[in-house]
Amino acid sequence: MLYQKQAFIVENKQIAPAVYKLKADIPGLAGHLKAGQFLHLRIGESYDPLLRRPFSVYKIENQKGNGRKLICIIYKVIGRGTKILSQKTKGELLNVLGPLGNGFDFIGTGLKNRPVFLVAGGMGVAPLFFLASMMIKKTKPDFKKNVIIFIGSPNRQELVLTKEFDELGFKIQLSTDDGSRGFKGYVCELLENYLKKKKVFPLRPYVYACGPNNMLKALDALAGKYRLDGQISVDKMMGCGVGACLGCVVKVKDNCNGQEAKYKRICKDGPVFKINEIIWED
Amino acid sequence: MNLTIRLNSNFKLKNPVTVASGTFGYAEEFKDFIDLNLLGAIFTKTITRFPKSGNPPPRLVETSSGMLNAIGLQNEGVEDFVKNKWPYLRKLGPKIIASISAINTEDFVYLARYLEDAGIEAVELNLSCPNVKYAVTCSRKKFIGNGNPIMFAQNAAATYNVIKAVRKKTDLFLITKLSPNVTDITAIARAAESAGTDALSLINTFFAMAIDIHTLRPKLANITGGLSGPAIKPLALRMVYEACRSVKIPVIGMGGIMNAADAVEFMLAGAKAVSIGTANFVNPHIAIDILYGIKKYLKEKRIDNINKIVGKIKLR
């Protein structure tokens, strides 16, 4: 079931130079959200910008005192839509569609004794934090020791949620493009260094990833080289968000018809795809 | 209050609010957001004879108060439609109008007959998709300036010929979707009428483009696309107004309708019904909001019958 609801902004706070954390009360929605699903937000009443903006959720927080569940989003200001969103204040309303898309498939016992890597680029860290929190709830405490979180970002200011991952007790490796914190370079380079050093591939590592297309493309290349299995979540400009307009497609290998490729909708068939399912066109 | 719109003696809509082809999928995508049975009619995503993969991405770009698309009619083909989508649609209350497209007349005829055999009552001939290459041969030449073959709806003779061919072979209620990318919409509208279409729907999107000034590339992989949304509403209204004055058959008006006032404007200009397009992306519930808004307008104006506002623009 999909819902169209009004979200009441409880907090919209700047946490880094261009990064904001939004908490909203969306009655009746929190319980239906899976890690990796997204919400399609209408930023304002104006027709300019016209379309909704998709955001993934990183946390559902219990509000103290009243038992309400708040939906938490982290976003970076990159264009007009996110700029306008960043100016919204407590008490303002946003129209929301959700939960949309297929979230990550937590394969549970399928991960037994396998190294699990959560690989995040930029704001892609958000749905992976939701997934990690869910993993904690669904697994025994020693599951964590097989998991490593890799987070990459342009600079140290935009490395977000590292403290939160730390508090959950996960091992973390960090990279920044400018070297201001952690490994200097891209997160997939950091991951490759680890794979080279540890030679874990006989244990069939499993990856959950979310980040910009270039990162996911690099990850797909690594997956071929090191026999990684897993799931990636793709972000793209969307129209309707519900699978009707066919505006947000990626080319995928079509398993049903042999080698032929076809376009799948990120909003409805994704945003999570299998590693090496996508044929990157740009 | 009477909201019934009679498009001809045996084809009527329970109200004038419809959803436009390509903006509403096959309706099921919207079932959680809206009571589909309240709609006047549903135009399906365009169906072609064979599956069509569509254009490469990026296919969609936001522009000032509008958007460009170059989807390229991605769909699974008519056989899949009848097998997998029609069973859901046929159980719904509103009239279902199957939008069809083809690059040649033969396939248009095939599609219409195939759908008629499946029990479909009405089709919309999409002669005006800006993102596919039609194999239109018209009286003068096959190609226009930009090297692309023209679309059927850009030439009166081509429009006439394809409609006439479909008309001869079926008893379906035929709606013809026209393009705004023409110098004289009335000439095309009249050609369609004389070929025997039962109604017209207009407008499709405007040829348009956008360029990324940093990469120096067009923002759409297809280079050009179709512009829709509130940005085009005044342009659409003018064309619907002119078309309505040039033909006797009913016209379904669309182009950037975002609210009830926009819808009423199209009806005052002469449209018997309206289609909601891009607005469905902004708010999946908007078609019903617009229907209620029209009812409110009629009540405030003490008008008991929707048909009394059709074409009632006062010119002096």
Side-chain angles (χ1 to χ4, degrees):
Chain A
M1 183 78 185
L2 309 177
Y3 301 91
Q4 180 171 20
K5 292 192 178 279
Q6 291 295 109
F8 302 85
I9 298 176
V10 173
E11 184 183 294
N12 191 23
K13 193 171 77 180
Q14 191 169 10
I15 57 169
V19 183
Y20 288 74
K21 187 196 277 189
L22 176 87
K23 286 187 191 176
D25 186 8
I26 316 175
L29 199 66
H32 301 285
L33 268 166
K34 268 177 64 183
Q37 288 187 307
F38 67 93
L39 303 177
H40 216 19
L41 298 190
R42 181 141 189 230
I43 305 298
E45 291 299 307
S46 157
Y47 296 150
D48 192 19
L50 181 65
L51 299 171
R52 288 171 181 266
R53 298 290 188 269
F55 295 94
S56 51
V57 172
Y58 84 94
K59 189 169 76 171
I60 292 167
E61 185 181 285
N62 290 313
Q63 201 176 17
K64 282 181 199 113
N66 59 14
R68 290 232 169 102
K69 288 176 188 301
L70 302 183
I71 288 174
C72 308
I73 288 166
I74 280 189
Y75 62 96
K76 184 174 170 180
V77 174
I78 50 164
R80 290 186 51 226
T82 42
K83 175 88 189 159
I84 294 166
L85 182 60
S86 73
Q87 288 155 353
K88 300 271 169 191
T89 54
K90 185 176 174 175
E92 287 190 77
L93 297 177
L94 294 169
N95 191 270
V96 177
L97 305 182
L100 301 179
N102 301 310
F104 287 110
D105 181 14
F106 178 58
I107 58 172
T109 52
L111 296 176
K112 206 177 168 192
N113 298 325
R114 293 171 78 175
V116 177
F117 304 136
L118 270 56
V119 185
M123 297 299 114
V125 70
L128 294 173
F129 182 76
F130 195 174
L131 177 72
S133 315
M134 197 269 302
M135 280 178 175
I136 297 270
K137 283 187 198 136
K138 288 200 174 175
T139 60
K140 292 190 181 128
D142 68 337
F143 179 81
K144 269 188 302 210
K145 71 180 196 313
N146 291 331
V147 182
I148 303 177
I149 318 288
F150 291 87
I151 308 174
S153 120
N155 52 58
R156 56 189 277 272
Q157 287 89 358
E158 290 174 29
L159 266 178
V160 292
L161 298 182
T162 53
K163 217 189 327 168
E164 287 84 347
F165 271 114
D166 205 34
E167 281 164 10
L168 291 181
F170 286 103
K171 281 173 276 184
I172 311 170
Q173 298 221 12
L174 303 174
S175 72
T176 51
D177 298 357
D178 65 359
S180 53
R181 193 167 165 201
F183 170 80
K184 184 180 182 196
Y186 294 130
V187 70
C188 284
E189 295 171 331
L190 176 65
L191 175 64
E192 181 162 23
N193 289 346
Y194 178 87
L195 291 168
K196 271 185 192 157
K197 209 160 70 187
K198 299 285 181 182
K199 302 205 174 8
V200 290
F201 45 86
L203 298 170
R204 300 188 303 131
Y206 199 89
V207 178
Y208 290 99
C210 182
N213 279 358
N214 283 342
M215 180 204 115
L216 298 175
K217 203 166 151 182
L219 184 71
D220 268 351
L222 275 190
K225 205 165 153 188
Y226 294 92
R227 282 174 282 163
L228 304 173
D229 193 6
Q231 302 166 31
I232 61 173
S233 178
V234 184
D235 181 25
K236 193 155 184 170
M237 170 82 198
M238 285 178 187
C240 66
V242 300
C245 74
L246 309 181
C248 64
V249 295
V250 280
K251 195 179 248 184
V252 297
K253 292 165 191 162
D254 187 359
N255 297 328
C256 312
N257 302 330
Q259 60 274 74
E260 211 164 308
K262 64 187 270 180
Y263 287 115
K264 275 197 184 176
R265 302 162 294 186
I266 292 174
C267 67
K268 183 95 172 190
D269 305 310
V272 176
F273 293 88
K274 282 190 221 108
I275 263 189
N276 270 326
E277 183 183 2
I278 293 176
I279 301 165
W280 298 100
E281 288 188 299
D282 41 350
Chain B
M1 188 184 292
N2 180 12
L3 292 173
T4 307
I5 300 288
R6 205 172 270 285
L7 292 182
N8 75 4
S9 54
N10 46 22
F11 195 83
K12 55 184 189 188
L13 311 182
K14 63 183 166 199
N15 69 63
V17 178
T18 74
V19 285
S21 176
T23 67
F24 211 69
Y26 304 94
E28 201 169 357
E29 293 89 336
F30 284 80
K31 71 175 188 321
D32 289 346
F33 299 117
I34 186 170
D35 183 351
L36 297 169
N37 288 317
L38 296 177
L39 295 168
I42 295 167
F43 288 76
T44 71
K45 167 82 185 153
T46 295
I47 305 152
T48 53
R49 182 169 179 175
F50 301 109
K52 215 166 156 16
S53 60
N55 289 325
R59 290 177 171 183
L60 187 145
V61 176
E62 191 175 46
T63 58
S64 299
S65 301
M67 56 167 271
L68 301 177
N69 88 80
I71 310 300
L73 301 185
Q74 179 179 342
N75 78 103
E76 300 290 329
V78 71
E79 207 177 304
D80 173 84
F81 171 78
V82 169
K83 209 170 118 192
N84 298 320
K85 280 122 186 168
W86 175 234
Y88 177 81
L89 288 165
R90 77 183 309 164
K91 285 189 215 130
L92 299 174
K95 292 288 186 195
I96 305 300
I97 297 152
S99 169
I100 58 175
S101 196
I103 61 163
N104 57 45
T105 303
E106 183 200 339
D107 284 0
F108 265 112
V109 172
Y110 175 91
L111 284 160
R113 296 199 57 163
Y114 193 103
L115 292 166
E116 191 169 27
D117 288 347
I120 282 161
E121 201 181 345
V123 298
E124 178 182 65
L125 305 174
N126 180 0
L127 305 184
S128 48
C129 176
N131 303 315
V132 297
K133 292 182 169 51
Y134 293 89
V136 178
T137 316
C138 55
S139 50
R140 269 161 296 162
K141 52 182 179 175
K142 193 168 176 177
F143 298 100
I144 54 168
N146 63 5
N148 291 328
I150 65 161
M151 47 174 90
F152 286 95
Q154 283 180 310
N155 181 275
T159 299
Y160 179 90
N161 289 340
V162 69
I163 297 168
K164 192 81 183 169
V166 176
R167 180 74 289 168
K168 265 189 209 158
K169 299 285 187 181
T170 76
D171 298 319
L172 290 164
F173 187 82
L174 285 186
I175 301 170
T176 301
K177 178 99 168 243
L178 300 185
S179 171
N181 302 299
V182 294
T183 44
D184 179 7
I185 192 72
T186 66
I188 313 288
R190 284 193 305 267
E193 181 182 42
S194 59
T197 191
D198 295 302
L200 298 174
S201 55
L202 67 151
I203 57 171
N204 206 317
T205 54
F206 282 90
F207 273 134
M209 71 185 291
I211 302 170
D212 184 320
I213 62 165
H214 301 294
T215 64
L216 317 184
R217 288 186 173 172
K219 287 188 181 175
L220 291 169
N222 194 50
I223 305 172
T224 60
L227 178 65
S228 66
I232 69 167
K233 200 206 79 184
L235 301 163
L237 188 64
R238 186 273 294 179
M239 295 190 120
V240 168
Y241 166 75
E242 288 186 351
C244 289
R245 288 165 67 87
S246 66
V247 295
K248 293 196 177 66
I249 50 175
V251 169
I252 300 159
M254 75 195 79
I257 296 176
M258 297 301 288
N259 52 47
D262 292 344
V264 169
E265 276 191 82
F266 277 84
M267 297 193 75
L268 292 171
K272 276 204 152 187
V274 293
S275 269
I276 315 304
T278 299
N280 293 312
F281 304 159
V282 179
N283 175 3
H285 192 265
I286 204 157
I288 300 308
D289 296 346
I290 289 172
L291 175 62
Y292 289 150
I294 293 172
K295 279 192 201 171
K296 192 165 163 250
Y297 170 82
L298 294 176
K299 209 169 158 186
E300 278 168 12
K301 300 286 176 195
R302 298 169 190 271
I303 300 168
D304 59 356
N305 186 335
I306 185 81
N307 294 283
K308 288 185 184 163
I309 69 165
V310 174
K312 288 298 151 59
I313 177 176
K314 281 189 186 167
L315 295 172
R316 26 183 196 114

